[in-house]
Amino acid sequence: MAVSRLQPQDGNFGGSGVEPHIAPEMRLFTPDGERLYLTAEERRRFLDASALESPSDRMFCHVLHYTGCRPSEALAISPRHVMVEDAAIVIRSLKKHKTDPHGRLKQAQYRSVPVPPFLIEHLDLVFGLRAQLRREMNSDSLLWPMSRPTAYRLVKRVMHSAGIVGAHATGKGLRHGFGVAMVTANPPVPLHVISQLMGHSDSKTTEIYLQVLSEERHSLVMNAWG
């Protein structure tokens, strides 16, 4: 089955003639217009600055960057969640609804996020993943046994080292940067795929990233005028 690509046309998206529904709890800009996502350049600087941290902490930053997961979700990753042969990381979606409409407890939900093979190799080098999985030793132990506050401080420290300041210099800003990178890729990643990668409960939430397409279009026009 063919997968449709994002094709903004005539000022709206997908040619439907209506603006995308934006979930009120998700924003890419503050009420004052301050950006809440990292640009491609800032994401590159974040990765470069992570080299100042320990190998383990550097890998934590790289996993956030390449998966778009929340810091709390990265903290739940164990060796068995790293699919070495498939070059993917399985992430437990922590913000999914825990009960169904009838109040019954739902099973934990996971998502598989493809990552560059070199990230898998670096994780293996730092944590010895293949050896652990082969021996079935400590495969359930967490890769990063740190608290959430410690993880958030790590992200803020790397942001500071990278010279990234403002409301977007957070783990959420990095996560939004992932969504922006997906929607502005060439070709763009389809919205329903981005929704799955980011673990959104409602695909409508993902439509917030379409806002950036308008910005990109504006920049292209301005560049045309020199």
Side-chain angles (χ1 to χ4, degrees):
M1 179 175 64
V3 178
S4 61
R5 298 290 184 178
L6 292 172
Q7 295 292 339
Q9 298 174 359
D10 300 327
N12 49 65
F13 303 92
S16 62
V18 296
E19 290 295 324
H21 169 78
I22 304 299
E25 70 276 7
M26 289 276 288
R27 296 181 300 170
L28 290 183
F29 301 92
T30 68
D32 295 329
E34 188 176 359
R35 178 166 45 84
L36 292 175
Y37 63 89
L38 268 64
T39 63
E41 170 62 18
E42 288 169 335
R43 292 170 73 231
R44 182 193 63 76
R45 282 160 42 199
F46 178 82
L47 286 181
D48 290 345
S50 71
L52 301 174
E53 304 295 327
S54 68
S56 175
D57 287 351
R58 181 183 184 185
M59 287 299 96
F60 184 81
C61 294
H62 280 233
V63 166
L64 294 182
H65 174 274
Y66 286 110
T67 67
C69 72
R70 304 172 179 90
S72 55
E73 291 175 331
L75 292 177
I77 297 174
S78 66
R80 66 185 179 87
H81 292 130
V82 181
M83 313 303 289
V84 174
E85 301 304 324
D86 296 331
I89 297 178
V90 176
I91 297 169
R92 181 173 182 177
S93 298
L94 296 183
K95 288 222 170 174
K96 293 278 191 178
H97 295 301
K98 295 183 179 180
T99 56
D100 63 18
H102 302 290
R104 293 173 298 199
L105 191 65
K106 294 196 299 187
Q107 299 232 351
Q109 298 185 52
Y110 295 85
R111 63 188 190 271
S112 177
V113 182
V115 295
F118 63 76
L119 178 60
I120 298 295
E121 295 306 316
H122 291 167
L123 287 169
D124 184 33
L125 183 64
V126 172
F127 297 106
L129 296 178
R130 286 186 174 89
Q132 289 192 52
L133 294 171
R134 185 166 54 248
R135 300 171 187 169
E136 296 185 356
M137 295 174 55
N138 302 318
S139 61
D140 288 320
S141 61
L142 300 179
L143 294 182
W144 296 283
M146 67 174 90
S147 67
R148 290 188 183 185
T150 299
Y152 294 144
R153 286 195 296 270
L154 166 61
V155 172
K156 291 295 289 185
R157 185 168 66 246
V158 176
M159 291 284 183
H160 179 76
S161 298
I164 304 170
V165 296
H168 60 296
T170 63
K172 181 172 285 188
L174 187 63
R175 175 171 162 80
H176 280 328
F178 175 90
V180 168
M182 296 296 103
V183 82
T184 57
N186 186 21
V189 178
L191 274 185
H192 74 278
V193 176
I194 300 175
S195 181
Q196 294 167 0
L197 295 177
M198 300 188 73
H200 289 159
S201 298
D202 185 348
S203 60
K204 292 293 183 183
T205 302
T206 318
E207 292 181 5
I208 187 175
Y209 298 112
L210 292 177
Q211 290 179 346
V212 181
L213 291 181
S214 296
E215 274 207 336
E216 294 290 318
R217 204 161 47 234
H218 177 79
S219 298
L220 288 172
V221 172
M222 293 302 100
N223 288 339
W225 292 117

